[in-house]
């Protein structure tokens, strides 16, 4: 997806910017490291915007309390839970290709 292509918000509204991805990570987590690297690559390609949130922060604790992930990392797209654990690359590819966050 090119950065200039519109994407859809959870409500279905078109936007001119790539989707916002929030990545909740913890220390010593190889799935977290893998997801961070993959998502950073996609930021460089202009496919998405990324915020990495450490679990040990106030925002991280709040995200954990809200979403209660069974494992890490927790991936949110536009504030909605996308995945926990190993990043599902094919699912992410499909979502980005459709331009939706569902």
């Amino acid at each position: 997806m090119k950065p200039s292509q519109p994407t859809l918000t959870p409500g279905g509204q078109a936007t001119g910017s790539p989707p916002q991805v929030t990545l909740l990570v913890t220390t010593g987590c190889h799935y977290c490291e893998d997801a961070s690297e993959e998502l950073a690559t996609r930021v460089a390609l202009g496919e998405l915007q990324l915020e990495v949130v450490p679990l040990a922060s106030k925002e991280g604790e709040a995200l954990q309390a809200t979403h209660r992930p069974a494992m890490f990392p927790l991936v949110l797209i536009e504030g909605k839970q996308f995945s926990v654990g190993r990043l599902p690359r094919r699912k992410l590819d499909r979502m980005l290709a459709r331009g939706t966050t569902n």
Side-chain angles (χ1 to χ4, degrees):
M1 176 189 300
K2 297 176 185 169
S4 60
Q5 289 180 322
T7 59
L8 298 178
T9 65
Q13 299 172 329
T15 66
S17 61
Q20 175 64 44
V21 175
T22 304
L23 181 65
L24 179 62
V25 297
T26 189
T27 57
C29 170
H30 66 277
Y31 287 156
C32 298
E33 293 168 12
D34 179 63
S36 293
E37 290 172 12
E38 177 66 21
L39 294 172
T41 298
R42 294 181 182 247
V43 167
L45 295 172
E47 295 180 345
L48 52 86
Q49 301 172 54
L50 178 64
E51 177 185 14
V52 178
V53 179
L55 177 61
S57 68
K58 279 190 166 194
E59 183 180 0
E61 291 172 359
L63 287 172
Q64 182 184 29
T66 300
H67 296 279
R68 299 192 177 273
M71 58 188 307
F72 292 93
L74 168 66
V75 179
L76 304 173
I77 299 182
E78 299 294 340
K80 292 174 62 178
Q81 185 171 319
F82 176 75
S83 69
V84 294
R86 184 184 300 239
L87 180 67
R89 286 171 169 77
R90 289 186 204 164
K91 180 180 175 184
L92 181 62
D93 289 340
R94 288 190 303 270
M95 187 275 309
L96 292 172
R98 285 191 317 259
T100 63
T101 57
N102 296 341

